[in-house]
Amino acid sequence: NTVDPDAAYALGKAYRAEEQNPLALRWLTRALERNPLDPAIAQDLATLSRQDGKNKMARRAYESLVLFEPRLVENHLWLARLQRKLGDLYLAETTIERAYALANKNIPTIVEKAVIQAKIANLSPHKKERRDAAQRTRDTIDHLLDVAPQHPAAKAILNSLDD
């Protein structure tokens, strides 16, 4: 049945098991189009497309996942990472703030928050925004070091600041 989302999902999972990623992505996308409210399909599509370097596709799937499971920090974290990679820094900052509000001691979330803020500090065309973002970066790094003393990312992120 070409309309049945379960059939499309089963095909997507089967192709994924066979490591035929282009076909798996095609069928998982069809399954999600046919059943856009199924978080399992969205999760499989998000994970595979991210692993396959299909960042725009992965971002769309994670956008669905944060609506389905708004309390799951990992979905917000991956969405923020993808938004950053795609150049949507201010949107990434908003997304990572949601993850941070859910789990402010989650080290990957703190690190991603600092990375996003440092990118804004280095790339914003506005001097005040660069300065403010650099300060937010330093504050986030202070928090990171409170949670994980001597975390190796702290120095690298601070060194990346242009100021």
Side-chain angles (χ1 to χ4, degrees):
N1 183 345
T2 60
V3 187
D4 182 5
D6 292 336
Y9 187 40
L11 278 168
K13 289 178 72 160
Y15 282 123
R16 183 176 185 190
E18 294 295 318
E19 297 183 9
Q20 295 185 38
N21 290 355
L23 289 170
L25 288 169
R26 181 181 314 147
W27 284 104
L28 290 172
T29 299
R30 286 182 186 170
L32 190 60
E33 288 168 354
R34 293 170 185 168
N35 190 358
L37 301 178
D38 188 326
I41 298 171
Q43 184 66 62
D44 284 346
L45 179 60
T47 301
L48 181 59
S49 56
R50 177 178 47 82
Q51 292 170 345
D52 215 39
K54 309 285 188 206
N55 291 339
K56 288 181 181 179
M57 181 184 293
R59 180 183 61 191
R60 285 190 301 273
Y62 279 108
E63 287 169 347
S64 295
L65 284 169
V66 298
L67 296 174
F68 296 146
E69 302 170 322
R71 309 268 324 143
L72 194 57
V73 173
E74 186 172 292
N75 290 337
H76 291 283
L77 175 59
W78 278 113
L79 177 56
R81 285 176 174 158
L82 290 161
Q83 290 166 330
R84 174 180 51 82
K85 287 178 182 180
L86 292 167
D88 296 328
L89 296 177
Y90 295 100
L91 192 54
E93 187 175 35
T94 299
T95 301
I96 202 65
E97 286 295 342
R98 287 194 303 266
Y100 186 77
L102 293 169
N104 69 357
K105 295 191 185 319
N106 178 284
I107 294 169
T109 298
I110 300 168
V111 170
E112 185 62 28
K113 181 178 176 182
V115 168
I116 292 166
Q117 292 167 331
K119 279 204 152 298
I120 292 171
N122 291 332
L123 298 176
S124 176
H126 307 289
K127 185 176 183 177
K128 181 179 181 339
E129 178 55 32
R130 287 192 308 272
R131 190 173 47 248
D132 291 348
Q135 186 56 54
R136 290 193 307 273
T137 304
R138 288 185 199 90
D139 293 344
T140 300
I141 293 297
D142 286 346
H143 180 66
L144 173 63
L145 293 173
D146 286 343
V147 174
Q150 301 182 7
H151 192 284
K155 185 174 183 179
I157 294 168
L158 288 175
N159 287 341
S160 76
L161 293 173
D162 288 340
D163 61 58

